[in-house]
């Protein structure tokens, strides 16, 4: 018998579904789709689950705790109401271990990069998280992760596709502060993922696969310039060998073992 490391992170039992089911990327080379798109869910910031999560973040910031398992304290209906984390996560600089087990999350905000004390990141069994923000690489101490890699875009096991990105968008073509998450993966971009400067003239989005903790993750980059895109590191070996804009025509290496 193996102990369940997440027994205290799953939250109380519920009579109603606490997350939405997702088959976006399939589960094998035979079932992967030809094309994929971002989840378009928008966060209801008036939902009880969101407000409860904000309160938990405030408590964690105030008491300086080093382990944070917020979804263990939400009810089943509340867990289903939360599809992203609040920007207030940036306050949790003392947290070393973040557990987001079995959630309904569809994206992680760039503010997670401000969690400079983070050493272990475990969004395990959160099957609607297919990608992560490049800002996660700012967590320089992050050494351990537990991610459900079979649901990731471009995962090594069966190489599902990445959503297609627009390579360059000028300010007159979109309001960067009010974007459609189903198209852009976010509802707004303010700062460059690389230099942290303002994104106010153009937005360049690319994908890059990098090792973060103990996993190779598909990372979404929101860059302010071609120079910032050029400053990205080399992708992890065995993945698309350069930053790219996704879509069904991007050639990926053959599937292999992790």
């Amino acid at each position: 018998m193996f102990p369940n490391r997440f027994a205290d992170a799953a939250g109380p039992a519920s009579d109603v579904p606490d997350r939405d089911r997702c088959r976006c990327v399939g589960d094998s080379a035979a079932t992967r789709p030809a094309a994929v798109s971002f989840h378009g869910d928008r966060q209801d910031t008036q939902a009880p689950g969101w407000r409860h999560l904000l309160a938990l973040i405030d408590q964690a910031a105030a008491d300086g705790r080093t382990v944070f398992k917020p979804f263990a304290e939400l009810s089943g209906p509340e867990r289903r109401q939360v599809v992203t984390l609040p920007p207030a996560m940036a306050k949790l600089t003392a947290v070393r271990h973040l557990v987001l087990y079995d959630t309904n999350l569809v994206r992680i905000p760039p503010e997670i990069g401000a969690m400079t004390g983070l050493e272990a990141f475990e969004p395990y069994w959160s099957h609607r998280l297919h990608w992560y923000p490049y800002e996660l690489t700012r967590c320089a101490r992050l050494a351990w992760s537990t991610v459900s890699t079979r649901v990731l875009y471009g995962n090594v096991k069966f190489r599902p596709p990445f959503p297609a990105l627009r390579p360059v968008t000028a300010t007159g073509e979109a309001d960067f502060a009010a974007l459609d998450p189903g198209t852009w993966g976010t509802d707004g971009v303010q700062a460059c993922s690389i230099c942290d400067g303002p994104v106010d003239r153009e937005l360049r989005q690319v994908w890059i696969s990098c090792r973060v903790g103990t996993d190779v993750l598909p990372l979404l980059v929101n860059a302010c310039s071609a120079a910032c895109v050029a400053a990205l590191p080399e992708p992890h070996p065995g993945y698309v060998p350069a930053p790219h804009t996704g879509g069904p025509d991007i050639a990926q290496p053959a599937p292999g073992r992790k």
Side-chain angles (χ1 to χ4, degrees):
M1 297 289 290
F2 294 95
N4 180 1
R5 292 194 296 115
F6 299 99
D8 63 346
S14 175
D15 294 332
V16 298
D18 59 0
R19 61 182 172 124
D20 297 297
R21 302 300 166 184
C22 173
R23 303 283 292 177
C24 282
V25 300
D27 56 18
S28 68
T31 60
R32 70 186 176 203
V36 295
S37 58
F38 291 109
H39 285 284
D41 308 47
R42 292 182 180 271
Q43 180 61 55
D44 178 359
T45 57
Q46 299 303 312
W50 178 260
R51 292 157 68 176
H52 191 177
L53 179 56
L54 287 174
L56 293 173
I57 292 171
D58 286 342
Q59 291 171 17
D63 63 30
R65 73 187 67 176
T66 59
V67 179
F68 192 41
K69 304 178 180 181
F71 288 87
E73 302 185 55
L74 303 184
S75 69
E78 287 179 331
R79 292 195 296 273
R80 192 175 187 181
Q81 292 165 358
V82 179
V83 297
T84 187
L85 298 177
M89 292 290 291
K91 298 189 294 184
L92 302 181
T93 54
V95 169
R96 297 201 298 265
H97 185 187
L98 176 61
V99 181
L100 306 172
Y101 177 72
D102 197 22
T103 73
N104 203 36
L105 295 171
V106 299
R107 54 187 169 270
I108 302 290
E111 285 81 6
I112 196 171
M115 296 181 65
T116 52
L118 196 61
E119 299 173 1
F121 177 54
E122 299 193 294
Y124 191 52
W125 215 251
S126 291
H127 285 173
R128 299 215 296 159
L129 282 175
H130 307 305
W131 61 277
Y132 292 84
Y134 184 77
E135 287 81 352
L136 191 58
T137 62
R138 297 179 185 173
C139 300
R141 298 181 183 178
L142 182 54
W144 178 265
S145 59
T146 308
V147 176
S148 296
T149 54
R150 291 190 71 89
V151 303
L152 298 179
Y153 298 138
N155 74 70
V156 71
K157 296 172 183 175
F158 59 96
R159 304 295 190 188
F162 293 76
L165 303 174
R166 301 181 185 185
V168 187
T169 305
T171 50
E173 299 173 310
D175 180 354
F176 298 154
L179 299 172
D180 174 10
T183 300
W184 305 87
T186 179
D187 55 11
V189 175
Q190 296 180 331
C192 177
S193 300
I194 302 154
C195 73
D196 205 30
V199 176
D200 54 9
R201 295 184 179 180
E202 64 180 32
L203 172 61
R204 292 174 179 259
Q205 288 193 305
V206 295
W207 292 109
I208 187 170
S209 296
C210 297
R211 182 175 292 281
V212 179
T214 47
D215 294 287
V216 177
L217 304 180
L219 304 175
L220 178 62
V221 177
N222 292 304
C224 66
S225 65
C228 277
V229 173
L232 286 168
E234 289 189 9
H236 192 77
Y239 290 78
V240 179
H244 61 94
T245 55
D249 296 329
I250 293 295
Q252 299 191 60
R257 294 182 179 179
K258 182 177 178 181

